[in-house]
Amino acid sequence: LAALAAAATARAQPDPRLAVAVAALASAQETANNAPPTPAADAAPTPKQEAPERTYKRGDKVDVRYKGGDKYFPGRVVGGNNQRGYDVNYDDGEREVGVQAALVRLVESFQGGEDPFVAKAEAERANPSLFKGDVVEASKKGHKEYLPGKVRGGPWDDGTYDVDFDDGSRENRLPTAKIRKVQPVPPVPPKEPAPPQEATPKSEETRAAEEARAAEARAAEEARAAEARAA
């Protein structure tokens, strides 16, 4: 009976090891609930959203990094789009096609109205500043130096001209900003002959002396002739 009573008492008292295990399990579960969720190993990263490139239109005043350089040059957009690039007419007369939008920054948006390029071309065609055969100095595309030449043709529909250079090269459709007319040098008029000076009247003494010298010369000539005959 004593042994049975001791066993019953032991079963009625909780095992301390079991209580420790239960407490540890509860703590681990709470920690897991408070931890941030672990992403799946095969989850794709969220793509970064890039800001869309600015678009430009014909007539916009812009600054452009010419040929991808570091320095910006002023000009206007004359055509193109973000896919193939933009065509730009620079203020100094240069032209570049296919410029990427990343190399362009807007200065002033064209708000519509009269197209500045059409108006300039029409004004040049209505009142040409150059004519075929004019002697000029022009700067080739992509160059700053001016070289001598002559106008071969123009103005065309965009107000440009063709130029033949004295070195044998030629350029087509140069804008007027890259051409300057050479003013012909006027010919030097021939010098007029000086008017003849009037002879100063001779005095009586001068005439007498001249006549005496002439008489002496004639006498000497006659004497030589006489000597020659005598011989």
Side-chain angles (χ1 to χ4, degrees):
L1 291 174
L4 291 175
T9 303
R11 285 195 300 271
Q13 295 178 352
D15 188 345
R17 292 174 299 176
L18 180 59
V20 171
V22 172
L25 182 60
S27 176
Q29 184 64 39
E30 182 178 0
T31 301
N33 292 338
N34 295 332
T38 303
D42 56 351
T46 303
K48 183 180 179 180
Q49 298 293 329
E50 296 183 357
E53 290 184 324
R54 176 187 289 274
T55 59
Y56 303 92
K57 62 182 180 298
R58 179 182 173 91
D60 282 351
K61 291 182 66 175
V62 292
D63 287 338
V64 183
R65 288 163 53 191
Y66 179 67
K67 293 190 180 299
D70 296 330
K71 190 175 180 181
Y72 282 88
F73 294 88
R76 280 186 183 270
V77 174
V78 297
N81 52 49
N82 275 18
Q83 284 68 41
R84 75 166 184 85
Y86 291 92
D87 303 337
V88 177
N89 280 0
Y90 292 93
D91 291 354
D92 63 1
E94 288 291 337
R95 179 182 174 90
E96 192 174 10
V97 298
V99 180
Q100 297 302 309
L103 303 176
V104 183
R105 65 187 183 191
L106 183 67
V107 174
E108 182 181 339
S109 179
F110 181 60
Q111 301 300 324
E114 186 177 41
D115 190 309
F117 304 105
V118 173
K120 183 177 180 180
E122 288 181 349
E124 183 65 30
R125 294 180 65 189
N127 187 21
S129 57
L130 299 168
F131 296 91
K132 183 177 181 180
D134 280 351
V135 178
V136 297
E137 290 179 340
S139 177
K140 298 180 180 180
K141 295 173 183 175
H143 297 269
K144 301 295 183 183
E145 181 184 6
Y146 280 82
L147 301 174
K150 288 185 177 181
V151 175
R152 185 177 74 254
W156 305 121
D157 54 356
D158 56 355
T160 59
Y161 294 85
D162 300 338
V163 175
D164 288 340
F165 292 93
D166 292 355
D167 62 5
S169 61
R170 57 174 50 186
E171 286 282 349
N172 296 328
R173 294 184 177 271
L174 283 177
T176 53
K178 295 183 73 66
I179 307 173
R180 59 192 183 196
K181 189 173 182 179
V182 177
Q183 298 298 331
V185 179
V188 179
K191 292 183 179 180
E192 296 182 358
Q197 296 181 353
E198 296 182 358
T200 305
K202 297 179 180 180
S203 64
E204 292 294 333
E205 293 180 356
T206 301
R207 285 199 300 271
E210 290 178 351
E211 290 176 357
R213 286 193 297 271
E216 291 177 358
R218 287 195 299 271
E221 184 65 27
E222 290 175 356
R224 286 194 295 271
E227 291 177 357
R229 289 193 298 272

